[in-house]
Amino acid sequence: MSEPSDESETSVVPQPAPAATRKHTALPKAQTLIEALPWITRHQGKTVVIKFGGNAMVDEELKAAFAQDVVFLRHAGLRPVVVHGGGPQISAQLDKEGLVSEFRAGLRVTTPEAMDVVRMVLAGQVQRELVGLLNRHGPLAVGLTGEDAHTITATKHFPRIEGEFIDIGRVGEITAIDTGAIETLLDDGRIPVVSSIARSADDDHVYNVNADTAAAALAAALGAETLMVLTDVEGLYEDWPHSDEVISRLTASELEKLLPELASGMVPKMEGCLHAVRNGVRTARVIDGRVQHSILLEIFTDEGIGTMVVDDDPRAAAEPATERQKP
């Protein structure tokens, strides 16, 4: 029997790679944050008005992502204000009650009976759900309607169709905005969630106000940095239906020329964007609410998504050097 060898076998222990060559799988996250830095700096303390609508209102995952985006804005130092309608929910409730949904000039025909449903759905259903989603992340959101504190005042609106003014019921045209309640909430670090219902300026009625129009009016009255309108399309198309190419950026004058050619559903949205930038809002953006976290992609990335409208004066819409340069 042989004696054991003095040279024992040793296992080879792998040595860690030098730090310079080690792959950091989380590095893309850091790069994303760095890309967002100039936008966070730029928007610090600025008011952003967001019109919540479209599929984002009915898809559970999109609703949750929207709430996360808005809370992120708040914690990043912005002052978000959410304005919402409730088209799908209103139509569903009208159908349950045997009332017909009708639209003319892109606006809902609102009978007194329909107005009761609109008021109930917006303030009692849609707003409460949205406030609840936001408040999962802390005691942040506070709901109010345009009736509260005289936030939105309106008179009866008569749209013009083929040269004639028509009666579409309890639909309001905004005459005044009182931002006092909203500004108080913002100064307290809250997120106002506003239902698009208005008090009457000249009778005892309550009016249904198009949410796109209400968001634009509030953005202008608040001196907001940006108006963002969530919709169910990628943006404003160059030559719909012949092309799905999205116009990335256009001026107020360019938009004004396009308005007569737009589909009726896009008219209130683009008229709202035009009103906003013509009344002191630096940019108005129509973005695809079907894309999760579309708000963050639009505000905090170089590329952005959707269509951005700016004022004709290049100084009013001047962008930092890092802003995407849209054709």
Side-chain angles (χ1 to χ4, degrees):
M1 184 173 182
S2 60
E3 296 291 327
S5 171
D6 292 335
E7 296 181 7
S8 60
E9 294 183 1
T10 58
S11 60
V12 178
V13 179
Q15 297 299 311
T21 61
R22 189 180 304 141
K23 183 178 180 180
H24 291 278
T25 57
L27 186 57
K29 295 181 181 179
Q31 292 170 334
T32 299
L33 292 172
I34 292 301
E35 182 180 340
L37 180 58
W39 309 114
I40 293 175
T41 302
R42 178 187 181 89
H43 292 293
Q44 251 333 271
K46 300 294 179 62
T47 300
V48 177
V49 176
I50 306 164
K51 189 268 179 168
F52 179 57
N55 274 327
M57 300 189 72
V58 295
D59 182 282
E60 296 302 322
E61 291 185 359
L62 290 175
K63 283 191 287 188
F66 173 83
Q68 290 171 335
D69 285 6
V70 173
V71 171
F72 185 96
L73 296 184
R74 160 66 177 74
H75 287 300
L78 286 75
R79 291 156 53 100
V81 177
V82 178
V83 180
H84 72 88
Q89 294 89 339
I90 292 169
S91 294
Q93 188 62 38
L94 288 172
D95 186 57
K96 285 182 181 179
E97 301 195 14
L99 299 172
V100 176
S101 291
E102 181 184 358
F103 292 86
R104 304 194 70 181
L107 300 171
R108 184 184 296 276
V109 177
T110 310
T111 63
E113 296 80 12
M115 187 64 230
D116 290 339
V117 173
V118 168
R119 201 176 188 185
M120 175 185 70
V121 170
L122 293 186
Q125 178 185 337
V126 179
Q127 182 193 96
R128 300 322 308 162
E129 181 181 19
L130 183 52
V131 167
L133 286 170
L134 291 165
N135 284 341
R136 288 180 183 176
H137 305 280
L140 299 171
V142 177
L144 65 158
T145 77
E147 299 175 75
D148 297 325
H150 294 183
T151 298
I152 304 175
T153 301
T155 57
K156 188 177 177 69
H157 176 55
F158 293 90
R160 184 195 292 265
I161 297 180
E162 297 180 353
E164 295 186 7
F165 291 102
I166 62 170
D167 187 344
I168 57 173
R170 301 274 178 86
V171 175
E173 181 173 343
I174 296 173
T175 58
I177 297 286
D178 186 332
T179 61
I182 292 176
E183 290 178 326
T184 297
L185 290 169
L186 290 171
D187 290 343
D188 193 38
R190 309 298 178 180
I191 301 172
V193 179
V194 186
S195 301
S196 55
I197 304 168
R199 66 180 288 269
S200 173
D202 48 21
D203 57 36
D204 295 327
H205 295 153
V206 175
Y207 285 108
N208 180 20
V209 177
N210 179 271
D212 300 308
T213 305
L218 280 169
L222 288 164
E225 172 80 357
T226 296
L227 166 67
M228 304 185 74
V229 179
L230 272 67
T231 185
D232 285 343
V233 295
E234 297 173 272
L236 187 61
Y237 292 114
E238 184 87 40
D239 186 24
W240 184 260
H242 307 294
S243 169
D244 61 358
E245 188 71 24
V246 173
I247 301 173
S248 296
R249 175 185 175 122
L250 73 167
T251 66
S253 292
E254 291 169 338
L255 173 57
E256 194 168 32
K257 293 176 183 177
L258 290 175
L259 281 175
E261 306 170 13
L262 300 182
S264 61
M266 284 297 287
V267 170
K269 297 174 181 12
M270 301 317 299
E271 284 183 339
C273 289
L274 181 62
H275 174 82
V277 298
R278 285 266 170 88
N279 288 275
V281 179
R282 197 181 65 84
T283 64
R285 307 159 189 248
V286 175
I287 63 175
D288 193 344
R290 300 169 301 177
V291 177
Q292 284 197 23
H293 305 298
S294 55
I295 293 172
L296 300 187
L297 290 171
E298 178 63 17
I299 291 187
F300 294 130
T301 67
D302 293 344
E303 293 83 7
I305 59 175
T307 297
M308 180 165 65
V309 182
V310 299
D311 190 64
D312 297 310
D313 184 348
R315 294 170 298 176
E319 309 292 356
T322 54
E323 175 104 13
R324 62 185 184 273
Q325 297 301 310
K326 295 186 172 184

